[in-house]
Amino acid sequence: MMNLDHYKSTIQKSGFAVINNIFSEEEIEKIGQVIENIDTSKEAFRKSEDLFAIRQFLKEVPEVQDLIFNDNIQKIIAEVFGEKYFVVKSIYFDKPEKSNWYVAYHQDLTISVDKKAELPGFGPWTTKQNQFAVQPPLDILENIFTIRIHLDDTDENNGALKVIPNSHLKGIYRPETIDWSVETETICNVEKGGIMIMKPLLLHGSNRTTNGKKRRVIHIEFSDRQLPKQLKWSENMN
């Protein structure tokens, strides 16, 4: 398999890396078939003309777990993240072909937890569909890795992520303060069956789809940290 030391150092330095050929065509087809056959009326599902999303994806669609955690993904988690990392969040996104949905530059500053608890360093809080999210202390965010599995070829014409390299090293970085005289933008093209690994504090966004091609992504976050005893990760899966 590929030299993972290279990707590990790239992620530490730049905040992201793209690795193609992680899933075979057959594996991607099987994952797609499972998603097509699920009951989309559940509360955790969000469906509109511009977006179809499934929160707590691995919990809501357990049939995909064995397909997603193939040998390649398990090796990447162990060697790039660390042996003690576990799933703490999973979402499935589908930007349909005609979607005009776009995402402005932001950092992923919240984690999903089981309930609301007043704790020093945790806040502000939000609640969506009975799911609790909170901004935790910075050290928890700095320790998270995200894997984005691409079920379609994705480039700048159908919503590939655009990122600001190295921005994950600058703490809380408000998008309105981006200094474009020193920062650069990178478009993260990913092939079908490839993945993008990123740090949540990396400033990232995406443009509208202009080429009429869909973009389906499975977003999974990993941590090796236990939360204070009053809180639990809303998803916790080894």
Side-chain angles (χ1 to χ4, degrees), residues 17-221:
V18 172
I19 315 177
N20 287 312
N21 301 311
I22 297 301
F23 293 88
S24 68
E25 184 80 27
E26 183 183 8
E27 287 172 319
I28 292 297
E29 290 303 318
K30 285 181 178 177
I31 292 170
Q33 286 169 9
V34 170
I35 293 168
E36 283 180 15
N37 290 323
I38 57 179
D39 174 9
T40 60
S41 64
K42 294 182 181 179
E43 193 175 322
F45 297 6
R46 174 183 166 195
K47 199 163 190 176
S48 70
E49 287 185 10
D50 279 344
L51 175 69
F52 173 48
I54 306 173
R55 299 180 186 279
Q56 299 199 15
F57 176 62
L58 296 173
K59 194 185 288 187
E60 294 286 347
V61 191
E63 311 93 279
V64 300
Q65 292 176 19
D66 288 344
L67 296 170
I68 285 171
F69 294 101
N70 67 8
D71 290 345
N72 289 341
I73 288 291
Q74 291 189 50
K75 183 178 174 70
I76 287 166
I77 293 166
E79 295 186 17
V80 178
F81 305 172
E83 294 283 356
K84 295 181 179 179
Y85 272 79
F86 52 92
V87 174
V88 296
K89 186 175 185 177
S90 61
I91 311 174
Y92 169 74
F93 291 109
D94 180 354
K95 262 191 183 180
E97 297 91 325
K98 296 178 182 177
S99 172
N100 276 324
W101 195 64
Y102 81 103
V103 180
Y105 266 112
H106 67 287
Q107 295 172 301
D108 291 338
L109 295 177
T110 63
I111 59 173
S112 296
V113 294
D114 63 331
K115 62 179 178 293
K116 185 173 181 178
E118 296 304 326
L119 290 167
F122 284 77
W125 288 80
T126 59
T127 308
K128 288 181 183 175
Q129 297 172 321
N130 294 320
Q131 296 185 35
F132 300 93
V134 63
Q135 184 170 324
L138 199 60
D139 67 300
I140 292 177
L141 291 172
E142 289 172 338
N143 237 46
I144 292 173
F145 288 90
T146 299
I147 291 180
R148 294 168 57 86
I149 300 166
H150 284 250
L151 306 185
D152 304 289
D153 289 326
T154 311
D155 59 25
E156 66 274 14
N157 298 312
N158 67 329
L161 278 196
K162 51 185 183 181
V163 304
I164 298 178
N166 315 320
S167 54
H168 68 301
L169 300 173
K170 300 179 181 181
I172 305 299
Y173 192 161
R174 299 297 176 194
E176 62 270 18
T177 68
I178 297 172
D179 182 354
W180 289 109
S181 67
V182 296
E183 304 288 19
T184 57
E185 178 178 280
T186 298
I187 305 292
C188 300
N189 295 349
V190 187
E191 295 174 7
K192 179 179 180 178
I195 66 171
M196 178 184 175
I197 301 173
M198 60 178 279
K199 301 295 287 178
L201 290 175
L202 183 76
L203 275 166
H204 60 284
S206 63
N207 293 330
R208 291 182 171 89
T209 298
T210 58
N211 64 359
K213 293 182 180 178
K214 65 163 57 183
R215 187 207 67 172
R216 297 168 298 161
V217 173
I218 298 167
H219 171 117
I220 308 175
E221 297 178 14

